[in-house]
Amino acid sequence: MEQQPTVTPSGADETVETIFRIESPRIIAGVTRVVRDVGIAEELAQDALVAALEQWPRDGVPDNPGAWLMATAKHRAIDLVRRRERYARKLEEIGRDLEATVPFEEPSDPDDIDDDLLRLVFTACHPVLSAQARIALTLRLLGGLTTPEIARAFLAPEATIAQRIVRAKRTLATTGVPFEVPYGPDRESRLGSVLEVIYLVFNEGYAATAGDDLLRPALCEEALRLARVLAELMPKEPEVHGLAALLELQESRAAARTGPSGEPVLLRDQNRRRWNRLLIHRGFAALARANAVTTGAPGPYALQAAIAASHAQAYTYEDTDWRQIATLYGLLAVRSPSPVVELNRAVAVSMADGPGPALAIVDTLAAEPALRDYHLLPSVRGDLLARLGRTREARAEFERAAGLARNERERKLLEARAKECR
């Protein structure tokens, strides 16, 4: 089998690291099956990367670089188990299986690697970990992000993120979380955790909680990639397709959501010609797949995707079918009740029936503990009051919202709304 031409030393590191970033989730997943420890598997994958950095500039890039990295990492796993005494018990239990993998050169069955990748998704998102730990570990193992990249994305110290990842891997090891895809009732409960993590990662990129920038595109891209991978691995799960559809449709608006200086552009003011039609098409297709495999009522992600699809179908803001959107939010409130869903429903009701009925809904949410420091509650209330002509009250609500906003771009927008009410 011929190898690709030798890469020059100057371009070798970039070539190897690019390939590794693409292949690392599958390598870690495959090695985890051998060693049954996510932390050790990640270290062995890194060892394979080092070997590639040493050999590929000299010998050339293999025809199947992913298989080369996988084989190298698995061979090192076997050597490690044999060499270290503390793995003697593990060697006794799985030694025969390891011997069978020694001649591994290329994936004999791509579906096997896909199965391992799916196991890794469920392991990284296991409910035994906190939500923050799941997000950090998922971005590290499946998104291929480095600790500094994750820290920058969430505006957290690198040491905090590093400790979070280390503790997460230690927790998975000490609690004996199995490297498997659960079946039956366990799958539905675990799948919810997986989808939640991907959704949270996307949302942090779509509307950053804090910092100077409204968007963090890298997080949106990673979440969307993970959703697409999951949809390929679990084609019969409607909510997987629902989440993929939702993220495709939300991401389609990205180019129109900020102005030339990075300032937020409200939905009503967005240039819809800048919406990505390819992503909209993909979103519609994913939603159709979700509907095709749904046997009962649609799930929360499919309902949110349907809401996003309603926006995508409207050529102008005025063409939006707000009554349909309000109905969908009503269904979502029944399926997955939360104060935030009710607040979004109020916005849709305000467009369908006027600000008066919507204000009544918003006022019932004032005492909700979950919305106490949520800047969008006074922001929505301020908008409704302004539309009712109650400008003094509206100004106070926008000022309160600006005081609660942690994102600099959103804060400036709310301050400008308050000034408009003077």
Side-chain angles (χ1 to χ4, degrees), residues 205-219:
Y206 190 74
T209 304
D212 297 331
D213 299 318
L214 179 69
L215 308 180
R216 296 200 179 111
L219 287 181

Side-chain angles (χ1 to χ4, degrees), residues 153-170:
F154 287 93
L155 302 180
E158 286 185 30
T160 300
I161 296 297
Q163 291 173 3
R164 193 172 293 165
I165 293 171
V166 169
R167 283 196 296 265
K169 290 187 285 192
R170 185 185 302 128

Side-chain angles (χ1 to χ4, degrees), residues 271-292:
N271 180 356
R272 300 194 174 208
R273 288 176 294 181
R274 299 189 66 196
W275 287 9
N276 189 312
R277 305 312 300 182
L278 175 60
L279 291 179
I280 290 174
H281 176 76
R282 290 180 63 99
F284 286 162
L287 184 56
R289 286 192 291 272
N291 293 333

Side-chain angles (χ1 to χ4, degrees), residues 20 33 66 117 119 133 169 177-178 256 322 347 350 383 394:
F20 181 78
R33 175 189 280 194
L117 186 58
R119 292 186 185 98
K169 290 187 285 192
V177 171
W322 288 105
V347 173
S350 76
D383 183 70

